[in-house]
Every structure is written in C-alpha cells, then in structure tokens.
Amino acid sequence: MKVATLEYIKQVYPHPNADKMDIAVVKGWKVCIKKNEYKVGDLCIYVNTDTELKDCVQYEFLRNKNFRIKAIKLRGQLSEGIIFPTSLLKEFGYSTIVLEENIEGTDVSQYIGAKHYEKPIPTSLAGKIVGHLPSFLKKTDEENLENVADVLQELNNKPYYIATKIDGSSATFYINDGKYGVCSRNLELLEEENNGFWRVSKKYDIENKLRNYFKDKNIAIQGEVYGPGIQNNLLGVKEISFCVFNLWDVDNRKYLDYVDLKNFCVSTQIPMVDVIKEGDNFDLSFNDLQLISNNLKYPSGFVAEGIVVRPKTMFFSKNMNSHCSFKVKNEEYKLKYE
C-alpha cells in the first residue's frame, strides 16, 4: 500500500484561526503547515494518516505519538497526514528524485521508512496461523476518497449504493477446489474452537451455505467481524457478529455485483452490511459524501466509522487502478477512535 508519495501542492491558504499557520491541499487532503513553508506547485512527500514511521532522528518529534500519523485538529481545523520536503530522501541516503513528467504519485514509502499501520488483532480473534492470505484472494482494503477524488467522475450517472462502514475486523471465508478456509485480513487461520473468526463461521454456518448456494463454484465472501473485545464495539452488540460486504469470484478474479450480493444474503440469511442510500444515477460530490459520513451513527447511538461507496455493477476504475470502491470516513470518528 502506498502510504508516502510524491505529490504537488494544489492549494495553500491561510489558517482561519492561526496567524502562524497555513493549510495546504494535497490530493484531496487538507494539512496544517507552518506559515509560508510551502507554496502552490511545490513537490513534497505526503504521508497518509494510518501510517507508522520508523524510530529515527528525523521523526523524533513524533515519538510521543508512537511515530503514528493520525488525523488531528489544530485550532479548529482538521489536519490529515503530514508533509515533508523532498530533501528528506537525501537524509536517508537517496538522491532527490529528479522532476519529470508523471512523477506525481511515486511511492517513496520504503525510502523514508513508512508503512501502513495495522490495528492489532484482538485476542479473541488471534489464533494459530496456516499461512499468509492465499494468492487467489484479494485483500480487503478500501481506498480513501481523498486519494482518488477523480473516481467520482467515473462513477457519475451510474447506478450506485452507499453502505455503512463497520468498526470491526475484516474476514474472508472461501471455497477453493473443494477446500474451505477462514482468513483474517492478512492470514489464513487454523480451525480452533475459541478463535473468533471460526466461531463466526460456525455461528452462521458459512461453509455449508457457501457449498449449497454456489455448488461447485470457487467463491469467497468477505465481511466484517464485530462485537465485544473487537476494536471499539461501537455498535454495542453483546455477542460476536458478522456482516457481508463482498462476494469474490475466485476463478474470474472479480467482485460480483450488488444484486448478487443482496440475493446471496437474503437466501442464506447471513447479514449484509447496512445500505443507507442507493440510486440509478450517481451525482454526489465529495462534500455531499463527507456530510453523509459525518452524520452517520450506528443504532447504538455512537458515531459510525464512515461509509463505503460502490457501483451496483462493478467496473475497473482507471483512476484507482482497481475495482471501483472507496470509503469516506467520519471526521469525528477519525479524531476519537484512530
């Protein structure tokens, strides 16, 4: 995953509440910076939120934050990510990358010691490992809209749906060449009675339902495991639970469409993620989506993590270089729980 990239600063304007600060716009992100530190058109290194930087002198100022980049509010302004000058590459022993066409978006994560922060797997979900996530599966990572804002143009006028993003832990259950497997986001897990992912499998009878519904097809369902002891359990449920958000066609390496997902969940009675809005002609702006996300709450009354936006008929996005699917996180959630 690209967590640190070369980007051009698109806009700089004064911080409304701080004379010694500006706000820089990089891609779709707004970052608080020192006054006059950068100007429009400057090439910089932008580091996403949910990133962990290595323990070194260059990042000493982040020690009290455990070297993690999080969303923060500075004088009333949300600031997401951090900006470094390209000279940071020289400090780590690499020559400053020469400006050339299409340099924007170059991944420099490995050069500056940046990696995606993975939330620890809760004790109730940890278990014995079979191995890494099998190569015939696709890892469940939703891209932030701020990184791929132009995807809205691709989705424009197409049928779409918006689902609630659940604050939990991603899981995949698959059938491939007759074998049934259970996986966390990154790992395949050995069957154990007390493992949360396998408990979910048995609770919803997932193996039998996959075999009966899809017959001999190689297929995987992906979704979110949530409940007591898992992340913040903001949904307030009293027992481990699960909802589906993807159907993955293993042989054709593609996600099935919305109607397939919906029919599967209705037929098998395995819960599907809550769809809060759908339509035949997508026409929402970034601000529209952010407002929907910011106003979303779980049935428990707690602020929701955010929303996931997808076309009803899945297509390949040139802007994302992958299937069209992205998240918009609730700003209050970012500040409180990340």
Side-chain angles (χ1 to χ4, degrees):
M1 176 182 289
K2 292 183 180 181
V3 296
T5 54
L6 293 179
E7 305 292 345
Y8 289 104
I9 294 178
K10 294 183 177 180
Q11 187 179 358
V12 177
Y13 58 92
H15 191 298
N17 305 313
D19 292 338
K20 296 182 178 180
M21 296 179 72
D22 285 330
I23 296 170
V25 179
V26 181
K27 295 194 282 188
W29 304 99
K30 295 178 181 178
V31 186
C32 292
I33 59 173
K34 292 179 182 178
K35 193 76 173 178
N36 298 322
E37 187 175 16
Y38 295 96
K39 64 183 184 297
V40 174
D42 281 350
L43 185 69
C44 68
I45 298 172
Y46 173 72
V47 182
N48 280 326
T49 54
D50 289 337
T51 296
E52 186 175 10
L53 297 171
K54 68 179 181 180
D55 182 344
C56 63
V57 65
Q58 285 84 356
Y59 306 134
E60 183 62 32
F61 68 100
L62 291 168
R63 181 171 296 278
N64 65 345
K65 300 183 185 301
N66 296 317
F67 301 100
R68 277 188 60 196
I69 307 300
K70 302 180 182 180
I72 58 173
K73 254 188 179 178
L74 296 172
R75 299 291 296 272
Q77 172 65 48
L78 185 68
S79 180
E80 299 187 76
I82 191 168
I83 292 172
F84 291 107
T86 54
S87 58
L88 182 66
L89 291 165
K90 282 187 177 180
E91 294 185 38
F92 286 113
Y94 300 97
S95 298
T96 302
I97 297 176
V98 179
L99 286 174
E100 57 185 33
E101 191 176 0
N102 297 325
I103 197 170
E104 186 176 21
T106 300
D107 186 1
V108 295
S109 307
Q110 62 177 327
Y111 304 126
I112 68 166
K115 64 179 181 179
H116 178 64
Y117 173 75
E118 293 279 358
K119 292 180 181 178
I121 295 179
T123 303
S124 61
L125 298 180
K128 294 180 180 178
I129 298 167
V130 174
H132 293 292
L133 188 76
S135 59
F136 55 80
L137 297 176
K138 189 170 178 66
K139 188 175 177 180
T140 57
D141 276 326
E142 293 293 347
E143 184 63 90
N144 288 292
L145 177 57
E146 289 90 342
N147 286 329
V148 289
D150 288 344
V151 72
L152 296 182
Q153 299 174 17
E154 292 181 282
L155 188 54
N156 194 41
N157 293 324
K158 291 182 173 65
Y160 72 98
Y161 68 102
I162 300 175
T164 301
K165 192 174 191 311
I166 301 297
D167 181 31
S169 190
S170 295
T172 299
F173 306 90
Y174 74 82
I175 299 283
N176 187 53
D177 293 336
K179 178 193 172 185
Y180 177 66
V182 174
C183 307
S184 65
R185 183 190 300 275
N186 298 307
L187 303 167
E188 184 167 3
L189 302 168
L190 190 69
E191 182 174 0
E192 293 180 289
E193 183 177 346
N194 294 324
N195 177 266
F197 292 110
W198 275 96
R199 284 164 51 207
V200 161
S201 175
K202 289 178 171 59
K203 176 180 177 177
Y204 295 95
D205 196 22
I206 292 177
E207 179 178 358
N208 287 328
K209 289 178 178 178
L210 284 178
R211 292 188 188 281
N212 292 334
Y213 189 87
F214 289 105
K215 306 304 180 186
D216 296 325
K217 188 177 181 66
N218 293 325
I219 196 75
I221 64 169
Q222 298 178 314
E224 204 78 8
V225 175
Y226 61 98
I230 301 173
Q231 307 308 343
N232 303 294
N233 191 21
L234 295 181
L235 283 87
V237 298
K238 295 183 178 180
E239 62 180 41
I240 195 166
S241 302
F242 177 69
C243 60
V244 185
F245 53 67
N246 276 335
L247 288 178
W248 174 251
D249 181 336
V250 171
D251 293 326
N252 294 303
R253 295 197 60 81
K254 69 175 185 178
Y255 287 112
L256 299 186
D257 295 334
Y258 174 66
V259 67
D260 300 310
L261 176 62
K262 194 171 181 178
N263 288 342
F264 169 78
C265 290
V266 169
S267 177
T268 61
Q269 296 187 317
I270 300 177
M272 179 179 162
V273 288
D274 185 26
V275 174
I276 59 172
K277 185 178 178 64
E278 58 180 295
D280 294 328
N281 297 285
F282 182 83
D283 62 352
L284 300 172
S285 67
F286 177 91
N287 289 336
D288 293 332
L289 294 171
Q290 189 66 70
L291 186 62
I292 293 171
S293 181
N294 287 351
N295 288 331
L296 190 60
K297 294 184 182 295
Y298 294 129
S300 62
F302 283 102
V303 60
E305 184 177 352
I307 60 175
V308 175
V309 184
R310 290 179 174 160
K312 287 188 175 181
T313 300
M314 189 58 71
F315 66 87
F316 184 86
S317 164
K318 292 181 180 179
N319 284 290
M320 298 183 66
N321 195 31
S322 71
H323 67 284
C324 179
S325 179
F326 55 87
K327 64 187 175 186
V328 181
K329 284 198 169 184
N330 184 305
E331 292 178 337
E332 184 179 348
Y333 177 91
K334 294 178 190 178
L335 294 169
K336 280 187 175 181
Y337 301 111
E338 290 192 336

